[in-house]
Structures are given as C-alpha cells and as structure tokens.
Amino acid sequence: MNVAKTGYRVFSANSSAACTELAKKITERLGVELGKSVVFQESNRETRVDVKESVRGQTIFIIQTIPRDVNTAIMELLIMAYALKTSCAKNIIGVIPYFPYSKQCKMRKRGSIVCKLLASMLAKAGLTHIITMDLHQKEIQGFFSFPVDNLRASPFLIQYIQEEIPDYRNAIIVAKSPAAAKRAQSYAERLRLGLAVIHGEAQCAESDMADGRHSPPCVRNTIGHTGLELPSGKQQAPFPGIELPIMMAKEKPPITVVGDVGGRIAIIVDDIIDDVGDFVAAAEILKERGAYKIYIMATHGLLSADAPRLIEESAIDVVVVTNTVPHEVQKLQCPKIKTVDVSMILAEAIRRIHNGESMAYLFRNITVDD
C-alpha cells in the first residue's frame, strides 16, 4: 500500500530475524509494507540504525519484540525512535507487546524503580504513545508522560480454552498464589467455571520482597525500640519517652489448595511465565489433589534458562502462551508449548490510532480488575 494513501509507516526495530515475525504478521493484516531500515550490531557491540526512506511528517509505528537479550532490544528501540525523531517524523508510537523490566516496578531495598527509568528514557528518545499488552502491574501506565494503551490477551486465551480443551466445562481455574487470584477470578467468571487458589509456605509473593515502606519490616530480636542504627553500626538513642511497637513476623501456613480440583482439569493462569519453578511446584500439588490434566495459560512466554526441559519433565500437560515474545527455539525443545497469535488485536490498535477512532471496542467488557 502506498505511503501517501496510508499516511503512516510501520518499522521493526529488531536486529534478529526471529524477532521480526510478529512485525511481518501485523503489516500483513494492515496491508502495508514493513518500513525500510537496517538495525545491526557493529563489531564492538554498538547498535546502529539506518532508516532507508523519508519519514518527514509521517506517523510512525515501531514494533519491538523483546528477545532474551533484553538490553540490546531496548537500545535498538531507543536509537530507532531517536533516529525517526531527528528525521522529522510527526508522531512516533511504540508497539511493545511485552514491556521489559515490568517486574521492577516497585521499590526494593536500596534499589530503584527501573520500569520508571525506562519510561523516561522512551519519552526522551521521542516516543509519543505506546501500545503494549498485559502490563505486569496496570499502575505502570502512570510512569509515562504520554498515552499508554494496555491491551489484553485474555480473549484469545479464553477462546483457546473453549476451542482446544476438550470437556473444558469440567475445568477449574487456578491461581498459583493469592496475588494472582484477581486474574484467575476474571477467567473463571467469563468461562463460568470454579476457582481455586494455592496458598502456603511454598509460595513467595513478589510484594514480600518490597522495601519496608510498602510492607512490614522484619522483626528484630529485641524488646522495645533500642535506638536508630547509624551507618557506623552504632545505635543512636531514641527520642525521649518514645517506644515503637514491634511488628510480628510473618509465618505462612502449610501449603494448601483452597478449592476442589479432584477429578478436574486444572488451568493455571498468569501474565508471565519465565522461571517455571513455581508452576512446576503448583502442578505437582494439583496432581496430588486429584487434578487429571494441567494447563498453564500466560500472555508472555519468556521461558528462560532450563524452562523447556523443566516443563517437559513436569506434571504440566500443556503450556499456552501468545507470540508477544519469540519462543520458537523453546517450542522445538518442548512440544508441550503452544502459541496463540495476537497480531490481530495489535494491528487493529494501530489502525484505530492512526484513523483517530475510539479504542473502546478493544476494551469491551474489560473491568478495572482485569
């Protein structure tokens, strides 16, 4: 399709061929050609971007999928955005299906909120809008100084459950921790299925690792408040007449499954599957409780390290993820991994944004808790 007719261009910022597959599917659905550009790594590992056509006055969409080399992908995106900005592009919209560093969105002890830093870098590079999918925390949208459209993959995963899982009416939706219960409840209500939650000492909620400003501090083996600890290790006397109460230490109960999974198909839902240790442990518990088949449904299949081997050797029967992250190598290593294509909704989002149409259609029947 001619650029003069469309008024926008679509580029891919990835240097590896495997990461451009999603961009090709999106452009095929839109009926446009992928913009001409070259993204490559020089011999000293610096990233170079060359835009091979005029983008002056155009609305540009940059599709960036995140491979295992996350930091290189970020630099590719930043340099591509800045190159388009200095080439006088009118609007630069990033299509980032999986937003990297999204798990680092809370303050850690003596750490930083890396996700906010990345949001600032993208704005500085020239991005004016972002399309993403299933952010790890919806509040991440507040880190940006420009609009963010956080699309949902759940309609595609629910469709997979209805069409590909025989006797899914005998299934139960499972949250592998209380923190994932809201997402699981959303699936259960839409599919008219029951809900189960795994709770106990084998689970470690991400919020437990947060800085003391967001969760109770660890208890010390002291009676009362003995003073403030200085960097030198010495104690500073407390204010006269003040004795702070001691917070009781957390103690998780033995691992339990809240809900009946006996003789049922167990479907564990989450947004990211990366280190699969928690999923493997959950599958073993569900098998012990009588579940006869176990599915894992997740939007972003990072599947790092030995994840394919661990899945293959576990009690998990099928892992279903979308193509927001390239994982063809992992599928070759583990035939249990299946892929759902979400290029349709990404292409529709691009079309609607360019035409100035409402995005409400893509968020129909989606509530604040979804």
Side-chain angles (χ1 to χ4, degrees):
M1 187 178 291
N2 192 295
V3 64
K5 294 180 180 179
T6 63
Y8 70 95
R9 300 296 289 167
V10 180
F11 286 85
S12 172
N14 288 111
S15 58
S16 63
C19 295
T20 60
E21 289 302 315
L22 181 59
K24 290 177 181 177
K25 289 183 178 181
I26 292 173
T27 51
E28 286 175 5
R29 291 184 180 276
L30 290 169
V32 300
E33 295 180 358
L34 202 58
K36 296 179 176 63
S37 64
V38 178
V39 183
F40 63 96
Q41 308 296 317
E42 294 188 340
S43 56
N44 61 357
R45 302 302 298 165
E46 289 184 357
T47 300
R48 182 177 291 275
V49 173
D50 290 329
V51 179
K52 297 296 187 180
E53 57 185 285
S54 175
V55 295
R56 183 178 296 274
Q58 296 289 318
T59 296
I60 306 298
F61 293 87
I62 308 174
I63 300 173
Q64 180 70 328
T65 51
I66 306 299
R68 288 191 176 186
D69 192 353
V70 177
N71 296 328
T72 297
I74 291 171
M75 285 305 301
E76 290 171 349
L77 176 60
L78 292 170
I79 295 172
M80 170 71 83
Y82 192 65
L84 294 167
K85 177 183 177 181
T86 54
S87 299
C88 300
K90 182 181 179 181
N91 294 305
I92 305 171
I93 301 170
V95 183
I96 314 170
Y98 167 66
F99 195 80
Y101 287 97
S102 59
K103 284 190 173 183
Q104 298 190 46
C105 61
K106 295 181 181 179
M107 178 63 74
R108 305 301 187 201
K109 295 179 180 178
R110 300 181 182 87
S112 61
I113 305 176
V114 182
C115 194
K116 187 177 189 303
L117 171 64
L118 181 55
S120 301
M121 292 168 65
L122 292 173
K124 193 69 175 178
L127 264 66
T128 58
H129 193 149
I130 276 183
I131 303 169
T132 187
M133 182 168 282
D134 282 338
L135 287 170
H136 187 57
Q137 299 287 341
K138 291 186 288 295
E139 292 77 10
I140 290 173
Q141 296 173 81
F143 294 159
F144 295 86
S145 58
F146 49 76
V148 177
D149 285 308
N150 182 28
L151 304 176
R152 304 296 196 276
S154 52
F156 297 90
L157 296 175
I158 289 173
Q159 184 181 36
Y160 182 94
I161 292 172
Q162 293 173 325
E163 296 179 357
E164 302 296 333
I165 299 181
D167 195 22
Y168 83 91
R169 290 293 181 187
N170 188 38
I172 186 168
I173 304 298
V174 180
K176 69 179 179 68
S177 69
K182 276 190 176 181
R183 183 184 301 273
Q185 181 182 357
S186 174
Y187 277 74
E189 290 175 351
R190 282 169 167 75
L191 290 165
R192 279 63 172 174
L193 299 176
L195 176 66
V197 180
I198 298 175
H199 176 56
E201 59 184 7
Q203 302 298 324
C204 179
E206 186 180 346
S207 59
D208 289 347
M209 300 185 293
D211 186 272
R213 288 171 287 184
H214 303 292
S215 62
C218 296
V219 65
R220 294 184 177 180
N221 296 323
T222 57
I223 300 175
H225 181 72
T226 59
L228 302 176
E229 186 175 341
L230 299 176
S232 61
K234 297 180 180 179
Q235 294 285 327
Q236 177 181 338
F239 294 108
I242 293 181
E243 184 173 311
L244 300 178
I246 295 177
M247 179 64 70
M248 295 293 293
K250 289 184 178 181
E251 183 177 344
K252 293 187 177 180
I255 193 161
T256 57
V257 178
V258 182
D260 182 17
V261 299
R264 313 282 286 277
I265 301 171
I267 304 175
I268 304 175
V269 298
D270 213 336
D271 61 327
I272 299 172
I273 176 167
D274 187 5
D275 179 6
V276 299
D278 288 348
F279 292 94
V280 171
E284 291 176 356
I285 294 162
L286 293 170
K287 280 288 187 181
E288 291 174 2
R289 299 297 192 277
Y292 71 90
K293 202 163 188 179
I294 297 170
Y295 286 79
I296 309 291
M297 314 289 293
T299 303
H300 310 296
L302 305 186
L303 302 169
S304 303
D306 292 333
R309 178 182 61 81
L310 294 174
I311 292 171
E312 185 66 25
E313 296 173 356
S314 72
I316 299 169
D317 293 289
V318 180
V319 174
V320 182
V321 294
T322 72
N323 57 344
T324 56
V325 177
H327 51 264
E328 293 304 317
V329 174
Q330 291 90 327
K331 287 180 68 176
L332 293 174
Q333 297 171 344
C334 178
K336 292 181 179 180
I337 301 172
K338 310 297 180 184
T339 306
V340 173
D341 181 24
V342 293
S343 62
M344 180 189 301
I345 192 171
L346 294 169
E348 181 63 14
I350 290 173
R351 189 192 67 79
R352 285 176 175 269
I353 288 172
H354 171 66
N355 292 335
E357 299 177 18
S358 172
M359 296 286 284
Y361 178 77
L362 303 182
F363 293 95
R364 63 194 186 283
N365 298 326
I366 291 176
T367 64
V368 174
D369 292 332
D370 289 336

